[in-house]
């Protein structure tokens, strides 16, 4: 059986990665499985443990690092985020295309370990629009918003690390473009 693809999607916080993903993740032609990350951040309203993330304590996360359970991990505005390695490998061996939605440092580490990873970066139509979207969530204090904006600016300078760049002006269109890219790489 042909091993599944490893698809890595990044983009600054607030760019709408989740909204775009929801529009293509269940497309049967793409044969995708979403890699659920582990995080030590607080659960936001509406987020489900084991579906959106595995929400764990900092201690549990540090244990996962020590035990080599993670394909990659990073610290992002004060919280840990990481990709559990086991599922990624087993799903790919079963022929599934595995989708990681991670920030740039993590994507670079994945590329080092899996040079054949298909990397896609989602950009906002403008930085003003991105700030509006981050503030629109109204779930985080100003200090965190500022940190997310700073990180977003740094991430936008890392586009050259990615094979494809897709603009999320219209989520439907962005999802279609990503679907085309994945299908082309499945050939
Ligand atoms: P949020 O707190 O908004 O859910 O996520 C913050 C950032 O962490 C986003 O850019 C998201 O893509 C990234 N992220 C989520 N899971 C992982 C992961 O497992 N590893 C890495 N490196 N980044 C992640």
């Amino acid at each position: 059986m042909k091993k599944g693809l490893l698809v890595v999607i990044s983009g600054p916080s607030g760019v709408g990665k989740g909204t775009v993903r929801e529009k293509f993740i269940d497309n049967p032609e793409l044969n995708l499985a979403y890699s659920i990350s582990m995080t030590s951040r607080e659960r936001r309203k509406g987020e489900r443990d084991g579906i959106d993330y595995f929400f764990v304590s900092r201690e549990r996360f540090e244990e996962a690092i020590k035990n080599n359970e993670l394909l990659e991990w990073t610290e992002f505005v004060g919280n840990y985020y990481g990709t559990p390695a086991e599922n990624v490998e087993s799903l790919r061996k079963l022929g599934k295309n595995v989708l990681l939605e991670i920030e740039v440092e993590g994507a670079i580490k994945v590329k080092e370990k899996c040079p054949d990873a298909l990397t896609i970066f989602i950009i906002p139509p403008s930085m003003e629009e991105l700030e509006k979207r981050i503030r629109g969530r109204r779930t985080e204090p100003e200090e965190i918003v500022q940190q997310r904006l700073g990180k977003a600016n740094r991430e936008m300078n890392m586009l050259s690390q990615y094979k494809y760049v897709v603009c999320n002006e219209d989520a439907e269109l962005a999802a279609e473009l990503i679907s085309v890219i994945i299908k082309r790489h499945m050939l």
Side-chain angles (χ1 to χ4, degrees):
M1 182 187 286
K2 199 173 158 209
K3 195 174 175 187
L5 299 172
L6 183 58
V7 184
V8 178
I9 295 194
S10 301
S13 169
V15 79
K17 298 185 287 282
T19 310
V20 173
R21 180 185 78 224
E22 276 167 21
K23 296 187 185 295
F24 68 80
I25 190 83
D26 292 327
N27 178 347
E29 285 177 79
L30 302 178
N31 192 25
L32 283 168
Y34 180 60
S35 157
I36 301 165
S37 294
M38 188 186 278
T39 184
S40 67
R41 114 156 133 61
E42 290 268 308
R43 195 186 326 182
R44 288 191 199 123
K45 213 170 143 219
E47 285 183 327
R48 297 144 302 172
D49 188 29
I51 294 177
D52 299 296
Y53 281 107
F54 294 112
F55 293 96
V56 299
S57 63
R58 288 186 73 83
E59 293 70 33
R60 169 68 191 103
F61 201 104
E62 283 164 7
E63 186 186 292
I65 298 171
K66 240 196 281 161
N67 296 343
N68 248 329
E69 291 171 44
L70 303 171
L71 178 64
E72 60 74 37
W73 65 272
T74 195
E75 213 166 351
F76 181 94
V77 297
N79 290 303
Y80 289 127
Y81 295 81
T83 305
E86 201 182 303
N87 266 350
V88 172
E89 243 338 88
S90 53
L91 286 165
R92 287 184 75 195
K93 280 192 185 136
L94 289 172
K96 277 271 178 198
N97 299 318
V98 177
L99 178 71
L100 309 187
E101 195 186 289
I102 61 179
E103 53 67 67
V104 174
E105 281 170 36
I108 292 171
K109 287 183 213 155
V110 169
K111 274 202 333 182
E112 281 164 17
K113 287 191 181 170
C114 314
D116 60 338
L118 169 58
T119 54
I120 304 170
F121 193 91
I122 303 184
I123 56 168
S126 69
M127 292 311 278
E128 289 74 27
E129 178 61 27
L130 186 72
E131 180 162 351
K132 238 186 357 198
R133 290 185 197 172
I134 291 179
R135 291 189 182 284
R137 273 188 197 151
R138 276 182 247 253
T139 52
E140 288 170 329
E142 180 62 20
E143 191 195 340
I144 300 289
V145 168
Q146 287 301 333
Q147 286 178 27
R148 283 187 183 270
L149 287 170
K151 172 88 178 173
N153 276 311
R154 291 194 297 280
E155 288 201 324
M156 291 292 286
N157 289 326
M158 307 290 278
L159 292 184
S160 61
Q161 295 288 335
Y162 290 77
K163 199 168 173 89
Y164 297 98
V165 176
V166 170
C167 177
N168 181 22
E169 177 143 37
D170 173 295
E172 206 71 56
L173 177 58
E176 262 178 53
L177 293 170
I178 291 172
S179 303
V180 169
I181 293 168
I182 296 173
K183 274 191 227 162
R184 178 59 67 92
H185 282 263
M186 286 166 67
L187 295 177

